[in-house]
Each structure stands twice: as structure tokens, then as C-alpha cells.
């Protein structure tokens, strides 16, 4: 038997997702979203936990008996993108859109909360629900951790919708599943001069051009063929006129890596190349790092448990390729072990596209998976069932009834 929400609950979750979709709020500004989540949880009698967050909120289910704490996370923020889906419930806010499907994640976690609330008396511990703000700016997870909401958490789980996986499948892998997303900004200081008299100056454009080329050798010459990395310069600006060699050139971009060792080495070589090329041209340069999240690295034990839970929720488990996108869920995994998974939503477009959408028929799967993984983790942690045991009929039946 699959673990699915019944029809009225599915309809309710779709309604919630559409309401969030129509009213997106950008990172750090999720006030109405937070109020709506609070109201929806309140209607289900779910208690809101008291953690100091400006936006986002934490709720809890269970804890009626002494036991472990398992956390489930959904991110709630939208992106500064003008929506072009043409959906009847498209964004009503110009320049803001749920183009990463965080509306879907939020509705899924509310669905899981409803399913778990029904079993509350039987929970051998506590499920803590993290409705996290500001994921798109990679700030919200740090705020949630700062609020103390990860304290005592034995395992943490989350999911991201995945447009290239079909509905009914879930992508689970042990080890890295999403990349470290480091940002850089380099400022090259030269000496301005007349374009016709370059020898009187120090050209920051020529320097920057050599830097851009040399930086592309890091991946090909310093990263093992068995590892991977991306160095992308995405913006370059310098100069104001055709006959002036300017004082400065500025460029920025991002580095993506899946391993902390590779990450450190790429960053070290990056600075070495920038400083070395600047010196070769007599200019000076500064590299400023905008710290993105580290790689999302799944714990093997909990990735295994996630797969058991997913099968119990009626999902087909596949091993996905890691995504080079970043996710601040990585920070939770530094606090407690856990697993982050990709849930198939069969979307027409990739994340962050103005026509991004999810197949809503994946919503009950997402809710069921989250409820199932919390039950599985609590059962394992409280010693009632160990990972890898035969499917527990009582558990499956209990969850089915939920
Ligand atoms: Zn995103
Ligand atoms: Zn996202």
C-alpha cells in the first residue's frame, strides 16, 4: 500500500500551494507567508515552537513521550523573477515569483505535518518542522540554526522538487548531492591613461582578460579528472569611453564544487592566479569571497533510511546525478546528520526559469515522503526498528491510515 494523503487533503495542499504561488515573497521578507503558515498549522492544532525568527517559523509535533528529535525542513522564499507561466494562480506581485518551487516545499511540509499530527500520540519522539526563510540568499538556514532550532536534533531531512525526474520517483544518494556555491568578486586596480598612450598607464582590462583566461585552467589543470568543479565568470565591467584606459576592472562569478578539499584547492589556486597575473601586468587585484553554502553531503546511514521511507511512501527510488546548484540545507548537515533528496515533479523548465512550474500531482508524494522519513528516523533512533529491517507492516499500515 502506498502512503498517500486522501483526496480532501490533496485538494487542500494544492490550494495552499497555489495561494503561496500567487503571493510570493522575497528572501527575508516572508511576513505574509509566515503568517499564513502559522494560520494553517494552527487550524490543524499543531503547536508553534518559540524560536526567535523575523520570518519563517518552527513548529513541533509529538514530544508527548521522552524521545529523539527529528527535523523536517521546507524553504518558503521566492525569487526576484517576473513570472511568465500564464497560470491562473500566477504571481500577483510584479518581479517576484516562486520559480524554485518553494511554494511546493512549504505545502508538502504542511501536508506531512497533517499526516504526522494524526499519529501524534504514537510518535516515539518529536518531529520539528523548520519553515525556513531566505534560502535563495543562502541566509535562512544560518538564521534558523542561530535561533537554536537545531539543538537536540538527531537527524534532519529535506527535499527539493526536481523538474527532470518524473512524478512518483525520488532521487536519493549518499554523499554529495548539491554543490558548494562560492561567489567571488575581483577588483583589478590599474592606472588610467589616454587610450593612445597606453605606456603611461597600467591597463586593468588587459589584466582582467588574462585573468579570465588563466582562471579557466584551474578546472582543467588543478582538479582531478575524478573530481569536478565549475569556475564561471558571469560579469565583467570596466571603462566608460572608447578613448580612455580606465583605472579599474571588476569581474565576478561563481565556483561550484562537491568536496571541501576540492573547494579549498580551487579557491587557493583562484587567488594565486589573480594575484600572479596582476603582478605580471604591474597592477594590483583583490579577491572578495561571498560565502555561499558548503556542499550538501548526505550521511550514508540516513540516505539509506530515506530510501526505506520513500519506498514505504510508494515512491520509486533512483540515484540522481548531483546538482551543481547550491542549497543552504548544507548548513543543517553540519549540525546534525541527515539526507536531502530530489522529488520528481516533471516540470517543463529548470529551476529559476520564468516559466518554471511543478506537476502538482507530486504534492501528495512529497508530503507522504516527509512524514514517512520522520517516522522511519524516529523509529530507528528510538530503537523500535533498525535500518535495513524488513518492511514493517504495522508502520506501513499506520501510515496508510494516516
Ligand atoms: Zn532556487
Ligand atoms: Zn530551491
Amino acid at each position: 500500500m502506498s502512503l498517500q494523503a486522501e483526496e480532501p487533503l490533496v485538494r487542500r495542499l494544492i490550494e495552499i500551494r497555489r495561494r503561496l504561488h500567487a503571493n510570493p515573497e522575497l528572501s527575508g521578507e516572508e511576513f505574509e507567508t509566515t503568517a499564513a503558515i502559522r494560520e494553517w498549522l494552527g487550524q490543524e492544532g499543531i503547536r508553534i515552537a518559540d524560536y526567535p525568527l523575523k520570518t519563517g517559523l518552527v513548529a513541533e509535533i509529538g514530544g508527548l513521550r521522552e524521545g529523539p528529535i527529528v527535523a523536517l525542513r521546507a524553504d518558503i522564499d521566492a525569487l526576484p523573477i517576473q513570472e511568465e507561466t500564464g497560470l491562473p494562480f500566477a504571481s500577483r506581485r510584479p518581479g517576484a515569483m516562486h520559480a524554485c518551487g518553494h511554494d511546493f516545499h512549504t505545502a508538502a511540509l504542511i501536508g506531512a505535518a497533517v499526516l504526522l499530527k494524526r499519529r501524534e500520540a504514537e510518535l516515539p519522539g518529536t518531529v520539528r518542522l523548520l519553515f525556513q526563510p531566505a534560502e535563495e540568499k543562502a541566509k535562512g538556514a544560518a538564521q534558523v540554526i542561530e535561533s537554536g532550532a537545531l539543538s537536540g536534533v538527531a537527524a534532519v531531512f529535506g527535499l527539493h522538487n526536481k523538474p527532470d525526474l518524473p512524478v512518483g520517483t525520488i532521487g536519493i544518494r549518499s554523499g554529495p548531492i548539491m554543490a558548494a556555491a562560492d561567489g567571488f568578486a575581483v577588483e583589478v586596480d590599474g592606472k588610467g591613461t589616454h587610450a593612445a598612450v597606453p605606456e603611461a598607464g597600467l591597463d586593468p582590462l588587459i589584466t582582467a582578460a588574462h585573468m579570465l583566461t588563466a582562471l579557466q585552467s584551474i578546472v582543467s589543470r588543478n582538479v582531478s579528472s575524478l573530481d569536478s568543479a565549475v569556475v564561471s565568470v558571469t560579469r565583467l565591467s570596466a571603462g566608460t569611453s572608447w578613448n580612455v584606459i580606465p583605472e579599474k576592472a571588476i569581474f565576478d562569478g561563481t565556483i561550484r564544487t562537491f568536496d571541501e578539499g576540492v573547494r579549498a584547492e580551487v579557491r587557493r589556486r583562484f587567488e594565486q592566479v589573480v594575484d600572479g597575473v596582476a603582478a605580471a601586468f604591474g597592477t594590483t587585484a583583490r579577491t572578495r569571497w561571498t560565502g555561499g553554502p558548503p556542499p550538501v553531503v548526505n550521511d550514508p546511514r540516513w540516505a539509506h533510511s530515506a530510501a526505506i521511507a520513500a519506498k514505504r511512501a510508494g515512491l520509486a527510488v533512483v540515484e540522481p546525478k548531483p546538482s551543481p546548484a547550491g542549497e543552504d540545507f548544507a548548513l543543517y548537515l553540519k549540525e546534525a546528520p541527515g539526507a536531502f533528496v530530489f522529488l520528481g515533479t516533471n516540470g517543463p523548465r529548470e529551476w529559476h526559469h520564468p516559466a518554471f512550474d511543478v506537476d502538482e500531482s507530486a504534492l501528495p508524494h512529497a508530503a507522504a515522503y516527509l512524514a514517512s522519513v520522520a517516522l522511519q528516523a524516529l523509529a530507528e533512533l528510538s530503537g523500535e526498528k533498525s535500518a535495513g529491517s524488513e518492511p514493517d507492516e504495522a508502520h506501513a499500515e499506520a501510515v496508510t491510515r494516516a
Side-chain angles (χ1 to χ4, degrees):
M1 277 292 277
S2 69
L3 166 67
Q4 293 298 323
E6 75 284 356
E7 222 13 69
L9 178 56
V10 175
R11 277 201 301 277
R12 177 89 182 111
L13 297 181
I14 290 175
E15 190 185 303
I16 285 172
R17 183 256 160 171
R18 291 183 177 188
R19 190 167 137 199
L20 291 167
H21 193 85
N23 299 283
E25 290 177 298
L26 300 181
S27 308
E29 300 170 12
E30 310 92 337
F31 295 101
E32 287 175 27
T33 305
T34 301
I37 296 167
R38 185 181 293 272
E39 188 190 320
W40 290 323
L41 293 174
Q43 286 164 2
E44 301 295 336
I46 293 165
R47 71 176 180 278
I48 308 299
D50 190 18
Y51 290 97
L53 287 167
K54 188 165 72 86
T55 54
L57 64 85
V58 179
E60 281 185 351
I61 300 168
L64 307 177
R65 287 190 264 158
E66 188 71 23
I69 304 171
V70 167
L72 299 177
R73 176 273 213 164
D75 39 11
I76 66 171
D77 57 328
L79 284 157
I81 291 176
Q82 182 64 39
E83 180 158 350
E84 292 172 14
T85 59
L87 290 166
F89 53 90
S91 172
R92 296 189 199 127
R93 300 204 163 111
M97 177 189 176
H98 270 295
C100 205
H102 297 182
D103 51 343
F104 176 93
H105 302 164
T106 304
L109 187 52
I110 289 170
V114 172
L115 295 172
L116 290 166
K117 180 70 182 172
R118 294 172 183 172
R119 319 301 310 170
E120 187 165 39
E122 298 152 40
L123 294 180
T126 302
V127 181
R128 194 172 287 163
L129 311 167
L130 312 174
F131 289 91
Q132 183 208 303
E135 192 285 324
E136 295 294 356
K137 287 193 174 165
K139 291 208 157 57
Q143 290 166 8
V144 170
I145 292 165
E146 177 84 355
S147 81
L150 265 284
S151 102
V153 169
V156 58
F157 299 92
L159 61 78
H160 208 291
N161 69 83
K162 198 76 170 69
D164 59 356
L165 288 180
V167 173
T169 61
I170 190 164
I172 302 178
R173 60 179 294 135
S174 176
I177 187 160
M178 292 187 75
D182 290 310
F184 57 78
V186 175
E187 203 172 307
V188 183
D189 286 307
K191 189 174 154 200
T193 179
H194 195 293
V197 194
E199 71 275 18
L202 294 166
D203 189 344
L205 274 96
I206 292 287
T207 312
H210 279 268
M211 283 176 184
L212 263 55
T213 307
L215 288 171
Q216 288 309 316
S217 74
I218 295 174
V219 173
S220 69
R221 299 295 87 173
N222 303 119
V223 176
S224 159
S225 59
L226 302 178
D227 291 318
S228 66
V230 178
V231 177
S232 287
V233 175
T234 54
R235 185 166 57 164
L236 167 64
S237 83
T240 53
S241 173
W242 71 286
N243 58 358
V244 176
I245 290 174
E247 290 277 331
K248 249 187 216 316
I250 293 166
F251 63 87
D252 48 26
T254 184
I255 292 174
R256 303 297 164 107
T257 47
F258 291 96
D259 174 272
E260 291 283 21
V262 175
R263 182 189 193 197
E265 176 62 7
V266 171
R267 284 173 61 137
R268 186 187 72 78
R269 279 291 295 144
F270 187 98
E271 290 184 8
Q272 204 172 37
V273 167
V274 165
D275 294 344
V277 173
F281 287 90
T283 59
T284 55
R286 272 181 303 136
T287 302
R288 199 163 42 80
W289 295 101
T290 48
V296 178
V297 182
N298 284 335
D299 181 82
R301 175 198 171 177
W302 291 117
H304 180 69
S305 307
I308 294 171
K311 282 176 196 154
R312 282 184 177 158
L315 287 153
V317 178
V318 298
E319 190 175 5
K321 281 188 189 151
S323 163
E327 234 299 345
D328 72 359
F329 188 86
L331 297 177
Y332 297 126
L333 292 174
K334 300 263 182 199
E335 302 291 314
F340 192 71
V341 303
F342 292 147
L343 187 107
T345 46
N346 208 22
R349 300 273 188 258
E350 248 313 326
W351 300 329
H352 297 199
H353 190 281
F356 172 88
D357 192 17
V358 296
D359 184 334
E360 287 173 334
S361 67
L363 202 40
H365 293 305
Y369 164 72
L370 288 170
S372 181
V373 80
L375 291 171
Q376 175 69 18
L378 281 182
E380 286 183 31
L381 287 163
S382 61
E384 290 177 15
K385 280 287 158 200
S386 61
S389 62
E390 284 306 300
D392 168 6
E393 292 305 327
H395 167 104
E397 211 261 329
V399 179
T400 305
R401 279 189 282 114

